């Protein structure tokens, strides 16, 4: 009997701290045009700015030759593997990438996601960036962090 191949863990992005979006497709497109999976209405975001691709057991961010560019954790990239907790900048708009399952429902992107109902982060007051991570169960949840020792 063959063993089942390792399944890619679910992933998500939090867009501008307002929308948490599950990355369930093999390719998720990001841009200003309404036919993208994740629509960001900002003049610095290209019409078709970037893609996040599920490749084997990983996620890869690909810049689609955007005008302003794409960065991960402050470093400009044309293509790079994503890690849990990476901060992606799409034309200066922050997206937090995470891996794990959610404690609360996520918004699932559609072609008209810019008109979607309020997401979980619209209804919960978040004081700082670390509070976003507390919304999710991650694979490192049982590990102690310096923040836990406060």
């Amino acid at each position: 009997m063959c063993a089942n191949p390792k399944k890619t863990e679910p992933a998500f992005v939090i867009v501008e701290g307002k929308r948490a979006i599950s990355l369930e497709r093999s390719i998720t497109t990001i841009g200003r045009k309404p036919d993208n999976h994740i629509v960001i209405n900002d003049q610095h975001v290209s019409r078709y700015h970037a893609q996040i691709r599920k490749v084997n057991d990983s996620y890869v961010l690909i810049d689609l030759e955007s005008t302003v560019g794409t960065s991960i954790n402050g470093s400009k990239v044309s293509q790079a593997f994503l890690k849990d907790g990476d901060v992606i900048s799409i034309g200066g708009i922050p997206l937090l990438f995470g891996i794990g399952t959610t404690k609360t429902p996520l918004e699932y992107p559609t072609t008209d996601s810019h008109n979607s109902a309020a997401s979980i982060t619209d209804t919960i007051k978040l004081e700082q960036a670390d509070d976003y991570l507390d919304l999710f169960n991650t694979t490192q949840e049982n590990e102690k962090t310096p923040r836990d020792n406060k």
Side-chain angles (χ1 to χ4, degrees), residues 14-19 40-42 93-96 132:
I14 298 174
V15 181
E16 293 184 276
K18 297 177 184 172
R19 305 184 276 160
I40 302 174
N41 288 317
D42 184 280
I93 304 298
L95 289 79
L96 178 65
Y132 297 126

Side-chain angles (χ1 to χ4, degrees), residues 78-89:
S78 59
Q79 180 173 314
F81 284 95
L82 292 167
K83 299 182 307 289
D84 192 30
D86 278 345
V87 177
I88 303 165
S89 177

Side-chain angles (χ1 to χ4, degrees), residues 2 32 57 93 132 137:
C2 288
R32 197 176 67 238
D57 296 331
I93 304 298
Y132 297 126
N137 293 321

Side-chain angles (χ1 to χ4, degrees), residues 41-142:
N41 288 317
D42 184 280
Q43 66 183 1
H44 297 105
V45 175
S46 293
R47 290 174 293 203
Y48 300 99
H49 198 105
Q51 294 178 342
I52 297 176
R53 292 184 179 204
K54 199 184 302 186
V55 178
N56 297 325
D57 296 331
S58 302
Y59 291 87
V60 178
L61 176 70
I62 301 168
D63 181 81
L64 299 176
E65 298 181 10
S66 63
T67 304
V68 177
T70 302
S71 66
I72 299 175
N73 302 324
S75 297
K76 194 167 184 174
V77 298
S78 59
Q79 180 173 314
F81 284 95
L82 292 167
K83 299 182 307 289
D84 192 30
D86 278 345
V87 177
I88 303 165
S89 177
I90 302 288
I93 304 298
L95 289 79
L96 178 65
F97 175 80
I99 295 177
T101 57
T102 62
K103 295 178 184 176
T104 55
L106 288 174
E107 170 187 333
Y108 290 89
T110 63
T111 54
D112 63 344
S113 65
H114 61 287
N115 293 327
S116 63
S119 68
I120 185 64
T121 54
D122 288 335
T123 59
I124 296 174
K125 185 175 181 183
L126 300 173
E127 297 297 330
Q128 53 185 299
D130 287 342
D131 291 339
Y132 297 126
L133 296 176
D134 292 338
L135 292 173
F136 302 93
N137 293 321
T138 62
T139 55
Q140 295 92 12
E141 184 173 73
N142 294 329

Side-chain angles (χ1 to χ4, degrees), residues 13-40:
V13 291
I14 298 174
V15 181
E16 293 184 276
K18 297 177 184 172
R19 305 184 276 160
I21 300 172
S22 178
L23 300 175
E24 293 190 341
R25 293 177 168 83
S26 58
I27 298 174
T28 301
T29 59
I30 306 166
R32 197 176 67 238
K33 294 277 280 188
D35 58 340
N36 285 286
H37 300 116
I38 300 174
V39 177
I40 302 174

